[in-house]
Amino acid sequence: MRDVQSYAVIGLFVLAAGSALYVASELFLPIFLALFLCVILYPAVRTISAVGVPDWCGALLVVGGLVGATGLALFQLSDPAMYWLDELPEIVRKLEREFWGLRQSIEEASEATEKLKDMAGSGGGGGGDTVVIQGPSFLRQLANYTWLTMAQIVMTLGLLYMLLAQGRRAARSFIRRIDNRSAFVDFMGAVQERFSTYVRALTAINLCVGALTALAMLLLGMPNPVMWGLLAFFLNFLPFVGPLAMLAILTLAGLASFDTWLSVASVPAAFAVINAVECYAVTPVVLGRKMTLSPILIFISMLFWTWCWGMPGAFLAAPIAVFAKLVYDFLIGQPADLARSEAAAESK
C-alpha cells in the first residue's frame, strides 16, 4: 500500500512539474539554456583562469566570444539564406513541372470538394449575417514574438555570465550548508563530469558531421556548402527529426541546383551516408553504453520538451534525458550494484 502511495505522489509531482514548465516556459527556458551552455563553455573559463585571469574576466571573454561568433555566423549566412529564399519560387515551379499529374489530381479533388460545399450551402436556407472575430494582426504577433525572443536571449546571456563568473563561489557556499558534504560532492562531481563529457562529445560529433556535410556539398557542386554544414551541425542536435529535416531540405536544394535525377539524388544520399556512419559507428563508440539511451525514451523526451518549449526544447531534450539517466544511475543503480557485490562477497 505504501508503494502505491509513493508512486501516486511521484506521479502527481511529475504532472505538477510538467504543468509548471509549460505555463512558465518564458521563465524556465532561459535558465535551462544557460545551464546547458555553461556546461559547454565552463572548461574555457577554467582554462583562462589557470593563467591568472579572474573568473569574471574569463566569463566576460567567453560570453563575448560566443556573441561575436554567433553574430559573425549570422552575418556570413545572410547572403546564402537570401539566395535560397529567392530560389524558392523556382523550386516550387520545378516541383510543379515534375509532379504535374499529381497536382492535377489534387486540383480536381479540391474542385469536387468546393462543389459539395456549395451544394450544402445552397440547401441551408436563409443567409444570415456572419460575425467574424478578428484577432491580432500578423505583424503585431510577429513583433510580440520578436520582443519575447530578444528578452529571452538577453536573460540567457546574463544568467550564463553569472554562472560562469560566480558558479564556483556559489557552489562552494551551497556545499558548506550540507551535512554530508563528501558524499554530495562525489555525487555531483561524477554526474557533472559525465554529463559535460557527453555534451562536449556530442558537440564534437556534430561539428564533424557539419564539416563532412560541407565538404560533400562542395565536392558535389552545391552552392553555399558552408551554410549546409552549419545547418547539418545544428539540426543534428535534434534526434530523429533533425536528420530527416536535413534530408528533405537537401532534396529540395538538389532539385533546384541540378537537372539530372542522379545528381539530385546524390545530394541527400551523401548526407544519409554521413548520418548513418555517425549514428551506427561513431556515436556508440564515442559515447559508450553508459551514455546511450533507448530510442523510445529519447522520442518521449523530444515530445515532452517540444510541447513545453517548442524548438529550443527539442534541442535540449536529449541532454536533459541523459542528465536524468545519470542521476538515476547514481541514485538507484549504484546502491543496487553495491548490494549485489556485498551479497557475492558474503556467499564466498
Side-chain angles (χ1 to χ4, degrees), residues 2-322:
R2 184 174 299 175
D3 292 339
V4 175
Q5 292 176 350
S6 301
Y7 287 129
V9 171
I10 294 173
L12 290 174
F13 172 78
V14 170
L15 288 175
S19 301
L21 290 171
Y22 176 75
V23 173
S25 59
E26 291 84 0
L27 172 64
F28 287 108
L29 180 57
I31 295 174
F32 276 72
L33 281 173
L35 290 172
F36 177 71
L37 292 174
C38 180
V39 172
I40 298 176
L41 299 175
Y42 186 73
V45 177
R46 188 167 52 192
T47 302
I48 295 173
S49 300
V51 298
V53 179
D55 285 351
W56 66 267
C57 186
L60 188 62
L61 290 174
V62 170
V63 174
L66 175 65
V67 173
T70 305
L72 180 62
L74 292 176
F75 178 76
Q76 293 294 329
L77 291 177
S78 59
D79 289 340
M82 293 302 298
Y83 167 79
W84 285 104
L85 285 176
D86 293 337
E87 288 291 320
L88 190 59
E90 179 61 28
I91 295 175
V92 174
R93 287 193 291 269
K94 192 168 184 178
L95 288 175
E96 288 178 349
R97 289 194 299 268
E98 296 293 340
F99 302 102
W100 175 255
L102 179 61
R103 181 193 174 191
Q104 200 169 15
S105 301
I106 294 174
E107 288 180 351
E108 290 175 357
S110 299
E111 290 176 0
T113 304
E114 290 296 330
K115 289 180 181 179
L116 290 175
K117 287 183 179 179
D118 293 339
M119 292 172 61
S122 62
D129 295 334
T130 303
V131 178
V132 178
I133 300 175
Q134 186 175 3
S137 64
F138 173 74
L139 290 178
R140 187 177 183 85
Q141 294 179 9
L142 182 62
N144 293 335
Y145 181 78
T146 302
W147 280 111
L148 177 61
T149 303
M150 292 299 296
Q152 288 180 330
I153 290 174
V154 171
M155 287 189 292
T156 301
L157 292 176
L159 181 58
L160 174 62
Y161 171 76
M162 287 186 286
L163 288 172
L164 293 175
Q166 303 292 330
R168 188 185 309 178
R169 185 180 305 172
R172 290 173 181 172
S173 177
F174 177 75
I175 290 172
R176 279 196 289 266
R177 295 180 174 88
I178 298 176
D179 296 331
N180 194 358
R181 298 178 189 175
S182 60
F184 180 78
V185 169
D186 293 340
F187 164 70
M188 290 304 298
V191 172
Q192 181 185 8
E193 180 63 27
R194 290 197 179 187
F195 182 68
S196 60
T197 300
Y198 165 79
V199 172
R200 290 197 294 268
L202 181 65
T203 304
I205 290 172
N206 292 344
L207 277 173
C208 293
V209 170
L212 290 175
T213 302
L215 179 61
M217 297 303 107
L218 178 64
L219 295 177
L220 291 174
M222 281 284 291
N224 314 118
V226 176
M227 184 188 73
W228 301 120
L230 286 174
L231 190 61
F233 165 72
F234 285 111
L235 288 180
N236 212 48
F237 280 99
L238 298 175
F240 310 119
V241 179
L244 291 177
M246 192 66 194
L247 280 174
I249 293 171
L250 287 177
T251 301
L252 294 177
L255 284 170
S257 303
F258 303 113
D259 295 326
T260 63
W261 283 107
L262 180 61
S263 300
V264 171
S266 64
V267 176
F271 176 75
V273 171
I274 294 171
N275 182 257
V277 172
E278 178 261 322
C279 288
Y280 298 105
V282 177
T283 299
V285 173
V286 173
L287 296 182
R289 188 171 57 86
K290 290 286 186 182
M291 298 290 185
T292 304
L293 291 179
S294 169
I296 298 175
L297 292 178
I298 294 179
F299 190 73
I300 292 174
S301 179
M302 278 277 296
L303 290 178
F304 176 77
W305 293 109
T306 306
W307 168 72
C308 279
W309 298 337
M311 188 58 68
F315 277 99
L316 294 174
I320 291 175
V322 169

